[in-house]
């Protein structure tokens, strides 16, 4: 097999054993890699109803057939498991040398189960896996852990680790790499912590088999050159995702005061141009010439790497308008290994709950020092931080007194940084995303602004489905970065050329889209199997706030979502997907996608419609 190494590494932490296993061609062709592999493995091997923190949960690091070849923007992998935050399928995408090194070590995925008796670091060098005592690392931040491991292992090693939040099973702890790349929003870092796995060090020096190595080299060089010719390239290097702050403010989509508003009076202080004034450099994922991580000196005089989502969720969403301070909170979240999006949500939720006097704690909007202390309490599960460490849905359930009305999540995963009071398509995208409220599958809001905010037209449903297939299906299974395509207009044909050179196969886009649909339906089946008869179509609803409390400021003052129109939209979405009125894939849909065996199993948990 070319392109894929054809090998998974199965690691059992109960027994300190790692066994390489060849997998079938059909797995590669049907599920491509990354998210596709993870979904298939989790579907096949997890007992429904399993506690996500039990040793039987599997933590999967999976790459795609283009990873590690040196192609532009290809240094990423997917980290996945059953999520402790949502109880459903969870994953994230992280740019890291670990992706490159895992493939060079000979593996398309590393699948970890069991729980080490005491904390370990797993070192994988080609076909040798070592389980190293990690007692000296336990308790360190992710930055400290990586720095210390770097000093011990090869300079080229790729490292992923967790911080104290993962160790303390904070439900939105992430896996961190390279002091500023973080992945696995729905608690993948906590699953790693539950296994007593502090870090993984990957090192490999095998050739990854390519069908046409010469073409690969030429295409790679041409790809890098092409990226640089794109009109927006220079501005992207200046601001990366940060220019979205100004865009969101102009379009009333900037999460402000826990998504109560879509504009923030200090937006210009935390935006892309403000960032340029304090920027000291660029960082990024391996094998990328777009390096979109903006490095700034934060208010603690330390270097922090910042992106749009982080800055907005820890800035406007909690009423903080000082960029250096926001950057410091971002860095602290990276050190502790907390997802910044969920963190900004739980903080905003806590501030609003305090303001509404539903808790005795005084937690005020926009207070830097106090917020930093609260973040620490969340990571170490101290005091009220312990309640927030469970995520916004569980915190609201515990606090009660109507606080669920301002708990901003879908299926337990907190909303990422686009306010949808006036964006029905983006709301549908959040509501039906594969992991809960995340923008990665169908970021349609900029298209929606041009199409018309008020509309609930069919085109919007089509756009959400198209983007879910492309971004959530194709990009997540190839595990390559979607930014060249999404932000610079890098043409999709490049990927079919890359795939041909890597695998020797013609894999046109319609084949990839078919695989994407298969993967997305399998993930849907996973959720349904977990929730069985507790599954309801309300699980595909955006937060109630967007239906009940109109914007009170900005150019779209008075806007909110219409529940009847949204429901109608969701009904049509299900129909286009081939799902029944509950949002459950029909037997015929699964069959058409080559998932008859999945239909059979799923039918044991819920009654399927023909
Ligand atoms: C992603 C989510 C995002 S999406 C951001 S900023 W973004 C937040 N980043 C965090 C962070 O940083 N530190 C932290 N402690 N928590 C964070 N949580 C948030 O996580 C990231 C880039 C970005 S920056 C985006 S949009 C794109 N995402 C891609 C994707 O999902 N798939 C893909 N094929 N390509 C992508 N390219 C872009 O990658 P999650 P990264 Mg991230 C510091 O992890 O779980 O997927 O959630 O991966 O290497 O940091 O790159 O404005
Ligand atoms: Fe990573 Fe940004 Fe490059 Fe994408 S564009 S590979 S997120 S540095």
């Amino acid at each position: 097999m070319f392109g894929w190494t054809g090998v998974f590494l199965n690691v059992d932490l109960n027994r300190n054993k790692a066994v390489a296993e060849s997998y079938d061609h059909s797995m590669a062709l049907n599920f491509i890699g990354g998210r596709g592999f993870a979904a298939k493995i989790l579907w096949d091997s997890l007992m429904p109803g399993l506690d996500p923190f039990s040793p039987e949960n599997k933590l999967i690091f999976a790459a795609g057939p283009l990873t590690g070849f040196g192609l532009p923007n290809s240094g990423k992998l997917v980290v996945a498991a059953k999520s402790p935050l949502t109880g459903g399928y969870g994953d994230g995408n992280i740019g890291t040398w670990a992706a490159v090194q895992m493939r060079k070590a000979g593996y398309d995925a590393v699948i970890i189960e069991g729980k080490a008796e005491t904390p370990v670091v797993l070192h994988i060098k080609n076909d040798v896996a070592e389980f190293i005592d990690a007692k000296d690392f336990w308790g360190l931040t992710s930055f400290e852990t990586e720095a210390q491991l770097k000093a011990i292992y090869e300079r080229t090693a790729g490292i992923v680790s967790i911080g104290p939040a993962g160790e303390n099973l904070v439900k939105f702890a992430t896996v961190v790499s390279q002091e500023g790349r973080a992945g696995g929003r729905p608690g993948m870092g906590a699953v790693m912590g539950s296994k007593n796995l502090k870090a993984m060090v990957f090192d490999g020096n095998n050739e990854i088999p390519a069908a046409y190595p010469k073409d690969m080299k030429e295409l790679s060089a041409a790809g890098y050159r092409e990226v640089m010719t794109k009109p927006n390239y220079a501005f992207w290097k200046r601001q990366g995702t940060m220019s979205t702050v100004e865009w969101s403010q102009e379009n009333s989509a900037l999460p402000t005061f826990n998504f109560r508003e879509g504009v923030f009076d200090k937006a210009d202080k935390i935006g892309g141009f403000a960032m340029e004034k304090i920027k000291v450099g660029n960082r990024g994922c391996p094998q990328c010439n777009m390096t979109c991580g903006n490095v700034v000196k934060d208010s603690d005089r330390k270097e922090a790497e910042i992106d749009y989502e982080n800055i907005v969720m820890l800035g406007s969403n909690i009423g903080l308008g000082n960029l250096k301070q926001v950057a410091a909170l971002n860095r602290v979240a990276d050190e502790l290994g907390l997802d910044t999006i969920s963190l900004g949500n739980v903080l905003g939720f806590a501030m609003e709950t305090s303001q509404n006097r539903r808790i005795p704690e005084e937690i005020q909007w926009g207070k830097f020092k106090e917020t930093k202390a609260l973040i620490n309490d969340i990571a170490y599960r101290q005091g009220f931080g312990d309640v927030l460490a469970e995520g916004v849905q569980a915190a609201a359930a515990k606090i009660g007194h109507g606080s669920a009305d301002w708990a901003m999540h879908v299926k337990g995963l907190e909303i990422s940084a686009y306010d949808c009071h006036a964006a029905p398509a983006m709301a549908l995208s959040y509501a039906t995303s594969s992991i809960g409220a995340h923008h990665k599958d169908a970021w349609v809001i900029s298209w929606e602004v041009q199409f018309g905010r008020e509309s609930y037209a069919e085109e919007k449903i089509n756009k959400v489905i198209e983007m879910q297939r492309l971004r959530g299906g194709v990009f997540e299974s190839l595990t390559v970065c979607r930014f060249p395509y999404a932000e610079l207009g890098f043409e999709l044909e490049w990927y079919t050329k890359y795939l041909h050179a890597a695998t020797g196969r013609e894999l046109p886009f319609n084949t990839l889209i078919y695989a994407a649909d298969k993967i997305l339906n399998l993930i849907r089946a996973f959720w349904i199997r977990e929730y069985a008869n507790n599954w309801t179509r309300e699980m595909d609803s955006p937060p109630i706030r967007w239906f009940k409390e109109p914007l009170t400021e900005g150019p779209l003052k008075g806007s909110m979502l219409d529940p009847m129109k949204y429901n109608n939209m969701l009904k049509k979405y299900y129909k286009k997907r081939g799902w029944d009125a509950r949002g459950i894939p029909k037997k015929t849909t699964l069959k058409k996608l080559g998932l008859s065996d999945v239909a059979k199993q799923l039918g044991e948990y819920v009654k399927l419609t023909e």
Side-chain angles (χ1 to χ4, degrees):
M1 199 156 48
F2 291 110
W4 295 272
T5 66
V7 181
F8 293 153
L9 185 68
N10 292 308
V11 177
D12 182 354
L13 290 172
N14 289 335
R15 295 181 186 77
N16 279 4
K17 256 181 108 168
V19 179
E21 181 194 15
S22 299
Y23 66 85
D24 204 66
H25 277 205
S26 66
M27 173 77 167
L29 295 176
N30 280 310
F31 295 97
I32 313 293
R35 174 177 263 188
F37 284 170
K40 174 73 171 141
I41 294 163
L42 293 175
W43 172 267
D44 284 348
S45 61
L46 291 199
M47 275 296 287
L50 182 86
D51 175 355
F53 288 147
S54 76
E56 288 79 30
N57 196 3
K58 297 205 168 165
L59 180 68
I60 300 166
F61 293 84
L66 301 179
T67 314
F69 281 118
L71 295 164
N73 310 73
S74 64
K76 283 182 172 269
L77 57 73
V78 162
V79 52
K82 177 175 174 181
S83 160
L85 186 64
T86 67
Y89 173 84
D91 74 15
N93 186 306
I94 178 168
T96 167
W97 281 105
V100 176
Q101 294 296 342
M102 179 176 85
R103 289 261 293 161
K104 288 192 168 170
Y107 310 109
D108 291 333
V110 174
I111 304 157
I112 297 158
E113 64 174 308
K115 177 179 181 178
E117 224 165 90
T118 52
V120 288
V121 168
L122 180 58
H123 176 226
I124 295 169
K125 177 152 192 185
N126 299 325
D127 53 359
V128 179
E130 279 181 286
F131 299 80
I132 295 140
D133 183 357
K135 71 172 177 307
D136 292 341
F137 295 97
W138 204 251
L140 298 183
T141 67
S142 67
F143 290 14
E144 291 163 344
T145 306
E146 184 156 343
Q148 294 197 16
L149 287 169
K150 269 241 133 73
I152 301 171
Y153 293 103
E154 299 78 353
R155 211 177 41 82
T156 51
I159 299 169
V160 289
S161 71
I162 55 168
E167 296 174 9
N168 295 321
L169 310 185
V170 175
K171 299 262 174 85
F172 48 92
T174 53
V175 175
V176 183
S177 190
Q178 299 174 201
E179 300 193 354
R181 323 241 49 102
R185 288 197 53 214
M188 302 303 101
V191 173
M192 192 156 157
S194 76
K195 299 192 170 304
N196 266 337
L197 180 59
K198 179 67 181 171
M200 315 227 312
V201 183
F202 291 94
D203 202 5
N205 49 17
N206 298 315
E207 278 283 305
I208 308 166
Y212 302 108
K214 192 164 160 279
D215 290 3
M216 205 65 170
K217 262 202 181 134
E218 284 169 12
L219 276 169
S220 177
Y224 281 106
R225 280 197 302 273
E226 178 69 18
V227 165
M228 289 168 72
T229 65
K230 297 296 177 197
N232 199 30
Y233 179 74
F235 188 60
W236 177 264
K237 290 281 279 193
R238 274 170 55 191
Q239 294 203 356
T241 56
M242 283 295 291
S243 61
T244 315
V245 177
E246 281 88 349
W247 182 90
S248 291
Q249 170 78 352
E250 277 162 28
N251 290 289
S252 283
L254 191 74
T256 303
F257 296 117
N258 195 28
F259 290 90
R260 221 170 35 198
E261 305 296 342
V263 288
F264 182 49
D265 58 2
K266 299 195 185 83
D268 60 327
K269 306 234 168 0
I270 59 167
F273 292 99
M275 180 276 299
E276 283 199 67
K277 291 194 185 124
I278 57 168
K279 182 166 174 171
V280 295
N282 282 70
R283 270 194 228 143
C285 309
Q287 302 174 333
C288 170
N289 60 351
M290 288 170 63
T291 48
C292 65
N294 297 295
V295 184
V296 299
K297 272 261 159 45
D298 67 31
S299 59
D300 294 337
R301 293 164 199 260
K302 294 188 176 167
E303 286 193 351
E305 187 182 330
I306 62 178
D307 290 301
Y308 167 74
E309 304 278 333
N310 309 340
I311 289 311
V312 166
M313 295 312 300
L314 298 173
S316 52
N317 201 51
I318 62 166
L320 183 61
N322 176 319
L323 186 57
K324 286 191 171 194
Q325 292 180 343
V326 181
L329 298 186
N330 184 168
R331 175 189 39 82
V332 168
D334 286 347
E335 288 174 343
L336 295 170
L338 288 163
D339 172 51
T340 49
I341 296 176
S342 290
L343 180 63
N345 270 278
V346 296
L347 293 170
F349 168 82
M351 288 165 189
E352 187 163 358
T353 309
S354 169
Q355 184 182 34
N356 293 344
R357 301 188 183 284
R358 307 297 161 87
I359 46 171
E361 288 78 6
E362 273 269 321
I363 306 169
Q364 290 178 25
W365 298 104
K367 295 273 185 244
F368 172 64
K369 262 205 218 141
E370 291 79 353
T371 305
K372 201 169 164 198
L374 182 55
I375 292 174
N376 212 53
D377 285 349
I378 293 171
Y380 289 94
R381 285 185 171 273
Q382 291 163 176
F384 189 58
D386 190 34
V387 176
L388 299 178
E390 292 293 302
V392 91
Q393 182 183 34
K398 180 149 194 188
I399 294 163
H401 300 296
S403 59
D405 279 2
W406 55 87
M408 302 300 290
H409 69 92
V410 174
K411 300 183 187 73
L413 183 68
E414 290 77 11
I415 302 272
S416 39
Y418 300 92
D419 185 84
C420 294
H421 276 91
M426 192 65 217
L428 178 69
S429 157
Y430 279 141
T432 58
S433 134
S434 305
I435 59 168
H438 196 35
H439 61 291
K440 88 162 119 206
D441 282 18
W443 185 73
V444 293
I445 193 164
S446 80
W447 171 88
E448 182 168 34
V449 164
Q450 304 202 347
F451 182 85
R453 305 286 284 266
E454 291 291 302
S455 160
Y456 289 72
E458 196 143 339
E459 287 92 329
K460 290 202 171 180
I461 305 167
N462 295 341
K463 189 54 135 188
V464 169
I465 294 176
E466 180 196 335
M467 287 297 114
Q468 286 176 332
R469 286 177 174 147
L470 181 59
R471 295 169 52 124
V474 178
F475 277 99
E476 291 317 301
S477 53
L478 293 178
T479 76
V480 295
C481 180
R482 61 168 187 259
F483 277 161
Y485 149 76
E487 303 293 339
L488 302 189
F490 188 70
E491 295 77 10
L492 292 173
E493 294 75 54
W494 283 93
Y495 299 100
T496 40
K497 286 187 207 155
Y498 293 160
L499 275 168
H500 181 256
T503 68
R505 291 170 189 269
E506 298 293 344
L507 289 167
F509 251 83
N510 57 1
T511 306
L512 297 177
I513 293 290
Y514 177 76
D517 239 356
K518 191 195 297 267
I519 294 162
L520 297 176
N521 273 275
L522 183 59
I523 292 176
R524 186 74 175 183
F526 185 92
W527 277 92
I528 310 273
R529 187 174 70 174
E530 289 298 332
Y531 278 82
N533 290 321
N534 292 325
W535 178 269
T536 65
R537 75 197 295 280
E538 277 67 51
M539 295 191 71
D540 290 333
S541 271
I544 192 84
R545 156 158 281 169
W546 290 337
F547 294 105
K548 281 211 324 201
E549 298 172 42
L551 294 172
T552 68
E553 288 174 15
L556 296 179
K557 190 173 163 178
S559 298
M560 64 178 165
L561 296 178
D562 179 319
M564 295 268 283
K565 288 183 183 164
Y566 175 81
N567 268 323
N568 199 23
M569 204 180 189
L570 183 62
K571 214 155 94 188
K572 288 188 191 152
Y573 171 90
Y574 285 165
K575 199 158 174 227
K576 284 174 187 282
R577 276 277 188 219
W579 299 350
D580 68 15
R582 299 163 298 169
I584 298 177
K586 292 183 183 172
K587 261 190 201 166
T588 40
T589 306
L590 294 171
K591 209 169 151 197
K592 251 195 274 172
L593 292 168
L595 297 172
S596 297
D597 54 329
V598 171
K600 201 162 158 229
Q601 273 194 51
L602 193 59
E604 292 168 19
Y605 295 85
V606 284
K607 193 163 170 14
L608 296 190
T609 312
E610 285 298 322

